[in-house]
Amino acid sequence: GLTHGELVAGLAEGRARAAARGVDLAWIYDIPGQFGEEAARVTLRDALDDPPDGLVAFGLAGAEAGIDRAAFEAAFAAARAAGLPGVPHAGEGEGPDSVWAALRHLQPARIGHGIRAVEDPALVAHLAEAAIPLEVCPTSNVCTRVVPSLAEHPVGALIDAGVTVTVNSDDPHMFATTLTDEYRAVAAVCGFDVDGVAGLVANGIAASFLPAQRKSDLLAEVEAARAQGSPGGITR
């Protein structure tokens, strides 16, 4: 029941409160794909005509099954033209075809989830070569039964194939997790030490939409922590 103006005001207040605690927040407006063309139109209008401070990208979330990624091509093109890179979900509720469709029609800077790309070796090779990051959320994938267990999660196979993997919490309250928990889970599944985890953190920073100097500063912090915590440099 909120107007978009009320939403923007709430985002601004939340962002200011977070900043006072030393946390930088940025926003991505997602089209809820199951609501189709009208949802795309309204989401794009709000993103372009009355964006909140800190809006950095444009996405597509919600249901995947039976939702044609190509139907949102025009909205993503308009967002890109306005300086908002695309970050659609694909390869979670549906298989590799949804990832291919996102690549062909939405020109993503990153792909939300994307883990079912592992079912198509050619797609995995393309993601690795093109260095398109995947936003991997292991606990979420188990809770939604995309994978049977953390032990069977394909994150290790994707990393071994050279895919750029970032680690994410999806919805912490819904899935009873934190970002720290997710790093621990991936470290356990992949046998990573501090150096390996630092590499994943660096992936997340590099794939972010932060200003270049802020990325550089954070990557320097990660490298310092890596050097201190893992002098042997073993990654797997």
Side-chain angles (χ1 to χ4, degrees):
L2 293 176
T3 66
H4 185 248
E6 290 169 331
L7 174 65
V8 168
L11 292 177
E13 181 180 345
R15 193 168 187 241
R17 288 185 181 183
R21 298 187 177 198
V23 177
D24 296 332
L25 292 180
W27 315 113
I28 298 171
Y29 271 14
D30 280 343
I31 300 168
Q34 66 270 31
F35 296 113
E37 183 179 342
E38 176 62 12
R41 185 188 67 78
V42 172
T43 306
L44 181 66
R45 179 199 66 200
D46 290 344
L48 301 189
D49 293 349
D50 187 22
D53 288 340
L55 184 66
V56 295
F58 191 75
L60 173 62
E64 282 183 31
I67 308 299
D68 185 7
R69 309 286 104 176
F72 304 97
E73 185 169 6
F76 272 73
R80 281 196 311 277
L84 295 174
V87 287
H89 287 204
E92 181 197 21
E94 285 204 326
D97 285 350
S98 69
V99 180
W100 279 121
L103 292 169
R104 292 185 182 112
H105 298 288
L106 307 181
Q107 299 183 34
R110 302 192 310 238
I111 291 178
H113 295 288
I115 60 166
R116 291 187 62 187
V118 78
E119 299 168 19
D120 182 345
L123 176 55
V124 171
H126 177 77
L127 291 171
E129 182 179 1
I132 297 172
L134 301 184
E135 304 165 357
V136 176
C137 311
T139 297
S140 169
N141 298 150
V142 174
C143 290
T144 59
R145 300 182 181 178
V146 175
V147 297
S149 67
L150 287 174
E152 297 170 89
H153 199 283
V155 60
L158 291 165
I159 293 170
D160 286 345
V163 175
T164 301
V165 166
T166 70
V167 177
N168 307 270
S169 58
D170 203 349
D171 188 324
H173 290 288
M174 183 179 292
F175 300 117
T177 190
T178 67
L179 186 56
T180 300
D181 290 336
E182 297 306 283
Y183 277 113
R184 287 175 172 149
V186 175
V189 168
C190 297
F192 281 175
D193 61 6
V194 171
D195 191 57
V197 173
L200 293 171
V201 176
N203 284 351
I205 295 166
S208 75
F209 303 117
L210 288 167
Q213 187 57 56
R214 182 66 173 144
K215 284 188 183 184
S216 179
D217 292 344
L218 288 172
L219 288 169
E221 289 185 31
V222 172
E223 286 307 307
R226 187 204 297 259
Q228 183 177 10
S230 183
I234 298 170
T235 57
R236 188 166 172 78

